[in-house]
């Protein structure tokens, strides 16, 4: 009987110790945090101007990647903010790429209609899923010249209080990358 009690006590002790370890819940934020320092995964797609574009074409460039699609209201809402980033950093050797699962023809029409200034690449939903660097739409990923992910966040908005702090941090990381290089 003593052995059973000791065994039972040991099991409960291990359970109690295991519960003291902090739990890291899988959220959009933790997903983005886990991307930092990882390589931009390989991809190969066509721009809406029918030019091949792959991650290899982005070597030695600071890149901002925006994942979007045309029927995504938050994606459309952030376009003015994204266009402001293009205007501010385009002359500072930052490449702005939008990745969508919309067809190239639909993306081209969308760009004309909405004035979206990013270079657009059309990939299939499956190709985007395999990249595993966006967690919903929109997602924004900052990649350094070394091809490593520096920062990622969902919506970019400097006016919406819900997204402002992360948008400011995104731009600070972008500025920091440019001053280091």
């Amino acid at each position: 009987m003593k052995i059973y009690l000791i065994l039972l006590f040991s099991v409960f002790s291990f359970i109690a110790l295991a519960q003291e370890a902090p739990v890291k819940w899988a959220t959009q934020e933790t997903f983005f945090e886990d991307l930092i320092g990882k390589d931009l995964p390989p991809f190969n797609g066509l721009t809406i101007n029918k030019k091949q574009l792959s991650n290899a074409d982005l070597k030695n460039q600071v890149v901002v990647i925006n994942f979007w699609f045309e029927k995504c209201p938050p994606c459309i809402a952030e376009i003015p903010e994204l266009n402001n980033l293009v205007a501010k950093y385009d002359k500072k050797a930052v490449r702005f790429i939008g990745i969508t699962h919309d067809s190239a023809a639909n993306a081209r029409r969308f760009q004309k209609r909405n004035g979206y200034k990013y270079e657009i690449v059309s990939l299939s939903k499956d190709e985007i899923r395999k990249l595993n660097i966006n967690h919903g739409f929109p997602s924004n990923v900052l990649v350094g010249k070394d091809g490593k992910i520096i920062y990622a966040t969902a919506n970019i908005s400097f006016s919406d209080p819900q997204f402002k702090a992360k948008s400011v941090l995104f731009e600070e990381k972008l500025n920091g990358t440019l001053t280091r290089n």
Side-chain angles (χ1 to χ4, degrees):
M1 185 68 159
K2 283 184 183 180
I3 293 175
Y4 289 119
L5 286 175
I6 292 171
L7 210 74
L8 189 61
F9 178 74
S10 298
V11 168
F12 284 118
S13 296
F14 286 125
I15 291 171
L17 287 174
Q19 289 178 352
E20 289 180 20
V23 174
K24 185 175 179 182
W25 296 101
T27 65
Q28 188 177 46
E29 243 174 64
T30 59
F31 176 85
F32 287 140
E33 287 169 5
D34 289 343
L35 290 177
I36 295 171
K38 292 185 177 173
D39 289 327
L40 178 63
F43 70 89
N44 191 8
L46 278 178
T47 69
I48 60 172
N49 299 323
K50 298 184 176 148
K51 294 180 186 173
Q52 282 294 127
L53 182 72
S54 72
N55 60 311
D57 298 317
L58 305 176
K59 286 187 182 198
N60 300 313
Q61 297 178 52
V62 174
V63 182
V64 174
I65 300 174
N66 171 246
F67 289 90
W68 67 279
F69 64 99
E70 90 176 290
K71 297 201 185 318
C72 166
C75 301
I76 295 167
E78 75 175 355
I79 288 174
E81 304 274 10
L82 298 174
N83 284 343
N84 287 341
L85 286 176
V86 172
K88 194 171 182 179
Y89 294 97
D90 197 31
K91 303 282 189 261
K92 296 182 180 180
V94 177
R95 191 153 179 193
F96 294 89
I97 298 172
I99 295 180
T100 183
H101 57 71
D102 294 329
S103 71
N106 286 350
R108 189 173 17 285
R109 278 192 298 276
F110 177 88
Q111 186 177 43
K112 283 183 181 179
R113 218 175 32 247
N114 293 284
Y116 182 54
K117 295 180 181 177
Y118 278 43
E119 179 179 9
I120 300 174
V121 178
S122 183
L123 299 176
S124 71
K125 287 180 181 179
D126 196 47
E127 289 169 317
I128 292 172
R129 183 189 55 76
K130 286 178 183 174
L131 287 174
N132 197 31
I133 59 172
N134 74 310
H135 193 278
F137 292 88
S139 290
N140 297 279
V141 180
L142 174 60
V143 182
K145 286 184 176 185
D146 60 359
K148 301 234 182 260
I149 296 171
I150 295 168
Y151 189 71
T153 189
N155 302 64
I156 295 283
S157 177
F158 295 95
S159 55
D160 185 334
Q162 182 181 358
F163 305 112
K164 184 174 182 174
K166 290 182 183 175
S167 300
V168 167
L169 184 56
F170 188 90
E171 188 170 11
E172 285 173 1
K173 299 279 186 184
L174 176 58
N175 278 321
T177 301
L178 294 173
T179 57
R180 278 193 305 266
N181 295 314

